Amino acid sequence: MDQLQVRMLMIDELHNITRLPPRAQRDRLLLLKSLSNRLRLPIVAAGTRDAEVALKTDEQTANRFEPFVLPRWRLNQEFRSFVASYERLLPLPEPSNLADREPLTTLFNVSEGTIGRVVRVLQRATEAAIAGGKPRIDLALIEAAAKLPYGKERRAAGL
């Protein structure tokens, strides 16, 4: 990491540590402490509230990570800009105009204001559009994608 001149280590999906047995969780937290000591780099760990709970199980690890909760989106120009930027990344032949009032409002309502949910809904709607031979995402695809289980609901359904 020194040779690469790494200036920050980012760990995503840290909440998945809670799926491990207690001993394995402790081992991962010990690894985080060790990395922090050896690398002397800032470490950013991202995840759901379960990540914060996992970090708090060890006092030394908890002291190394200060929680910062991202606020939910609001239906405003920032959200519109995010959706418009994300739409440009979608592999569809025609623009879906997701930043227009009706699709934007629908996407906001079904996403519960979280970035992860917005992305999941758009990914699933894109997959459905491609599978169905549609050149763009429409309201029906957004609504159908939003009804698919995700997160804990998905795991509970065995998906």
Side-chain angles (χ1 to χ4, degrees):
M1 290 186 116
D2 286 336
Q3 289 175 344
L4 295 173
Q5 298 178 343
V6 174
R7 297 189 314 224
M8 179 185 295
L9 175 63
M10 297 184 74
I11 302 168
D12 194 13
E13 305 280 335
L14 187 68
H15 54 272
N16 288 328
I17 196 172
T18 61
R19 293 184 183 174
L20 300 171
R23 175 71 185 157
Q25 287 182 34
R26 286 190 301 277
D27 289 346
R28 297 323 186 275
L29 293 176
L30 182 61
L31 176 63
L32 273 179
K33 286 189 291 189
S34 175
L35 284 172
S36 175
N37 290 336
R38 285 186 308 172
L39 300 176
R40 300 200 182 279
L41 294 171
I43 298 176
V44 175
T48 65
R49 291 203 189 280
D50 287 344
E52 184 179 356
V53 170
L55 289 171
K56 286 183 177 179
T57 61
D58 178 87
E59 186 177 335
Q60 290 179 358
T61 306
N63 289 334
R64 294 169 197 247
F65 293 90
E66 183 177 337
F68 179 81
V69 177
L70 293 174
R72 291 182 184 263
W73 286 104
R74 290 183 300 172
L75 187 55
N76 58 15
Q77 186 56 43
E78 248 181 9
F79 182 68
R80 180 184 306 276
S81 294
F82 169 71
V83 169
S85 296
Y86 196 86
E87 180 181 346
R88 287 191 289 274
L89 302 172
L90 301 177
L92 295 169
E94 293 180 13
S96 300
N97 301 314
L98 297 172
D100 288 355
R101 187 181 54 81
E102 193 172 11
L104 187 73
T105 301
T106 301
L107 185 57
F108 177 78
N109 289 335
V110 301
S111 71
E112 302 170 2
T114 66
I115 193 167
R117 183 86 166 128
V118 170
V119 169
R120 258 188 308 278
V121 168
L122 289 177
Q123 287 172 340
R124 290 174 176 180
T126 300
E127 291 167 0
I130 292 169
K134 294 186 176 187
R136 58 190 301 276
I137 296 172
D138 58 26
L139 288 176
L141 288 174
I142 292 172
E143 290 166 351
K147 291 177 183 172
L148 295 171
Y150 67 99
K152 290 179 184 173
E153 294 170 357
R154 190 172 170 82
R155 286 190 298 278
L159 302 174

